[in-house]
Amino acid sequence: MLRATQFMTFLSTIIASVSALAAPMSYQIDVAHTQTYFTVNHLGFSNSTGAVRVKTGMLSFDDADWSKSKVDVTLDITALQFGDKTWNEHMGDAKFFNVAKFPTARFVSTKVEKLSDSTGTVTGDFTLLGVTKPVTLLLTKNKVDKNPMSNKPYAGFSATGTLKRSDWGMSEYLPSIADSVSLRIELEAGGK
């Protein structure tokens, strides 16, 4: 029969083990396997798409309780890519992304909600051109498992959403170039 002190020690060990399993897992964004795309209608002729790379980022994800999850990502706006050097430079000037003054953008989550086993929403503060506004993205959990290449825990998500560029002060050529911008993010993050 267990003595009271032994029982309390045993109980503490069990509680600590369960708490450790329930804690959110921390991941570093895998910048080589994470892409951020944005699309805007250009003069009605096409839906022009650009990409920007992640500079740094972290993800904390709790599959049992998504509300405990967090993401903090910094984008390298100097690395804008539209598939053409002249167009990249044009989009980087003061009329649009103003990369000389604002070389980075940042998204910091404020709320994560689970909608189903694999879907949810992430709301956060998005800072671009020195302006911070809330953005909500639809989130799909692709996979949370051990990466067979690195043998480390990994998490993969896809996210989509829209924003109005004028909310961040980017209003050049409205409405010929659309205000609504579609976002698509493919994210991989690895644990330590």
Side-chain angles (χ1 to χ4, degrees):
M1 194 167 191
L2 287 174
R3 293 181 185 162
T5 55
Q6 291 175 316
F7 178 74
M8 291 307 291
T9 302
F10 173 74
L11 190 58
S12 296
T13 302
I14 295 295
I15 290 170
S17 298
V18 170
S19 296
L21 290 173
M25 177 75 184
S26 292
Y27 301 90
Q28 193 73 30
I29 303 295
D30 181 342
V31 297
H33 296 103
T34 298
Q35 296 85 33
T36 301
Y37 303 100
F38 51 94
T39 303
V40 62
N41 187 274
H42 183 255
L43 307 174
F45 294 113
S46 67
N47 292 301
S48 186
T49 299
V52 64
R53 71 178 187 85
V54 171
K55 186 173 184 178
T56 60
M58 61 75 58
L59 167 71
S60 176
F61 182 67
D62 187 337
D63 208 0
D65 185 355
W66 287 29
S67 68
K68 294 180 182 175
S69 304
K70 296 178 182 177
V71 63
D72 185 343
V73 178
T74 298
L75 301 172
D76 183 3
I77 302 301
T78 66
L80 284 170
Q81 185 52 250
F82 287 87
D84 177 80
K85 183 182 177 189
T86 301
W87 191 236
N88 292 346
E89 291 170 359
H90 176 62
M91 292 304 295
D93 71 22
K95 292 179 182 178
F96 292 101
F97 286 94
N98 199 357
V99 297
K101 188 173 181 183
F102 303 103
T104 61
R106 188 176 179 197
F107 179 84
V108 180
S109 67
T110 55
K111 184 179 184 182
V112 179
E113 289 185 291
K114 184 176 184 178
L115 300 177
S116 73
D117 285 345
S118 62
T119 63
T121 60
V122 56
T123 299
D125 293 326
F126 182 54
T127 303
L128 175 70
L129 297 169
V131 177
T132 302
K133 300 270 186 179
V135 171
T136 298
L137 303 171
L138 294 174
L139 190 64
T140 300
K141 179 184 75 172
N142 298 323
K143 187 175 182 179
V144 177
D145 203 349
K146 188 180 285 186
N147 184 321
M149 304 297 281
S150 68
N151 214 26
K152 294 181 178 179
Y154 248 65
F157 297 87
S158 298
T160 58
T162 59
L163 56 81
K164 288 186 176 181
R165 63 188 181 98
S166 61
D167 285 346
W168 283 264
M170 194 186 298
S171 56
E172 194 72 19
Y173 302 121
L174 286 173
S176 298
I177 298 176
D179 197 12
S180 180
V181 179
S182 298
L183 303 172
R184 187 177 125 233
I185 300 153
E186 297 297 332
L187 182 148
E188 285 188 31
K192 297 174 183 177

